[in-house]
Every structure is written in C-alpha cells, then in structure tokens.
Amino acid sequence: MPGTKRILRLDASANPAESNSQKLGDYLIRQLKQANSTVETRTRNLNQELSFVDSNWIAANFTAREERNADQSARLEFSDQLITELNWADHIVLTTPMYNFGVPATLKAWIDMVCRAGVTFRYGANGAEGLLKAKRVDIVVTTGGAPLHSPADFVSGYLKHVFAFIGIDDVNIIGADQMNVDAQASFARATAQIEQHYPAVAA
Ligand SMILES: Cc1cc2nc3c(=O)[nH]c(=O)nc-3n(C[C@H](O)[C@H](O)[C@H](O)COP(=O)(O)O)c2cc1C
C-alpha cells in the first residue's frame, strides 16, 4: 500500500524472555505505529538461523552471479534473504545488548552476511560507496555497567560505521546503558529519547 511504513525489526539479545533491549524495542515500535497510519513489520531474531562467513562463502561471493554453480548460489542464499529484507524496509529497528564491550556474536554474524561486496557496497574512484539508500535505523543499546560513548563502548560507534558503510547514514542510537547501576533511570533515559523522536499522537 502506498505510504505504508515498512519496519524491519532485528533483535540480538540472547535472553529474549527477559530482554530489556527488546522491551524498549516494543515501546519504540508502539510509538512508531501511533505516528504512522499504516505500518508493516517484519521481525528477525538474530539468534535463529545463524550462518558464518567461510572460505566457500567468500569464493561464492567473488564469483560473478551468472558464473556461480548451484552450490555457490546455495551458500549465498541466506545472505541474499537478509539483504532482501533490508532492501524491503525503509525503517530498521535494531535492539542489542552490549556483550563483552562489543556486539553479540549473532549480530556480528548478521553484519557479515549483509556487508556484501558488489551488493551492499562497492569500491569506486572515491573509495567505498554504500549501495543501500533512503533508510533510517533506530538502535536500542543496553549495557550492564559500561557507559555508552565511553572508551569501553565498542557498540554504538561500530554500528554507526557499519550502517554508513552500506549506505545508511540516518542512524539514531537510543541508549539504555548502565542497567545494573540503576535500571529505572536507564529505562527513563531511553524512553525519553524514544518519545523525543516519536512523540505519542493524541487520539
Ligand atoms: C554475555 C554477556 C556479556 C556482557 N557484557 C557486558 C559488557 O561488556 N559491558 C556491560 O556494560 N554489560 C555487559 N553485559 C550486560 C548486558 O549488556 C546487560 O545486562 C543488558 O541489559 C542485556 O540486554 P538484554 O536485557 O536486552 O538482554 C553482558 C551481559 C551478558 C549476558
């Protein structure tokens, strides 16, 4: 339907039943739905259907599409599917905890599947060029003790860089950091950031 907002939701917490980042993602999507009359949402739990880059995957990706054999095409199928989802969406909501100062391995595996030479980025005369266009990303990041944007934060800057690399510059980080210090204050900070971007619409 024209005018429909297409939201791809990606959840990276390994603990979905009690995930604070997912609770905040739920809230963000509720606010987005209020602000947009027609919203279509697809959700991907990054803990399911994992796939990692290996030598066969790399060889397949560096073989021209029309020259790939059936095995090579099959090896790229999951990556193709993830990129199709990204292309479909005009708004991405990513929820992720910090694990050991970086992103969960599941999220890194997703990143490795969607950063595809010749598909989502290419190198030209001016260096790297991202090939995805006109998309916004909201990223909810939770941490236990590390303050976001501190030297211990290898999540927010990294994710901004990766999305810009594939062409998505409109990246908004919603921080619910230091949950183990004061969870209530963390939630309050994050919900205030969400409401600042997506204010509730009066009925
Ligand atoms: C395996 C693991 C590693 C973690 N590593 C860190 C870390 O390096 N720094 C930090 O501040 N918090 C760390 N935490 C705490 C989580 O980031 C925090 O509990 C977060 O709120 C979890 O998000 P979730 O509730 O959405 O799963 C870690 C938690 C786990 C389970």
Side-chain angles (χ1 to χ4, degrees), residues 13 15 18-21 97-101 142-146 179:
S13 172
N15 195 17
E18 296 172 3
S19 167
N20 289 324
S21 56
M98 173 186 283
Y99 283 170
N100 300 311
F101 310 104
T142 48
T143 80
M179 280 277 177

Side-chain angles (χ1 to χ4, degrees), residues 9 19-30 93 95 140-142 174-177 179 186-192 194:
R9 174 175 181 163
S19 167
N20 289 324
S21 56
Q22 289 192 27
K23 277 185 203 132
L24 287 162
D26 293 344
Y27 184 62
L28 199 159
I29 287 189
R30 250 199 332 269
V93 174
T95 72
V140 176
V141 185
T142 48
I174 292 150
D177 53 353
M179 280 277 177
S186 296
F187 267 108
R189 273 200 303 281
T191 50
I194 291 169

Side-chain angles (χ1 to χ4, degrees), residues 15-73:
N15 195 17
E18 296 172 3
S19 167
N20 289 324
S21 56
Q22 289 192 27
K23 277 185 203 132
L24 287 162
D26 293 344
Y27 184 62
L28 199 159
I29 287 189
R30 250 199 332 269
Q31 295 294 102
L32 267 175
K33 282 185 172 166
Q34 278 202 23
N36 295 275
S37 51
T38 47
V39 171
E40 208 182 314
T41 310
R42 292 185 190 175
T43 301
R44 179 170 285 278
N45 177 347
L46 299 183
N47 292 278
Q48 290 162 359
E49 285 190 79
L50 290 181
S51 188
F52 301 104
V53 166
D54 62 13
S55 59
N56 290 319
W57 188 97
I58 294 168
N61 192 39
F62 283 99
T63 302
R65 183 177 288 272
E66 57 283 2
E67 286 168 22
R68 281 177 205 145
N69 60 34
D71 176 65
Q72 288 177 316
S73 301

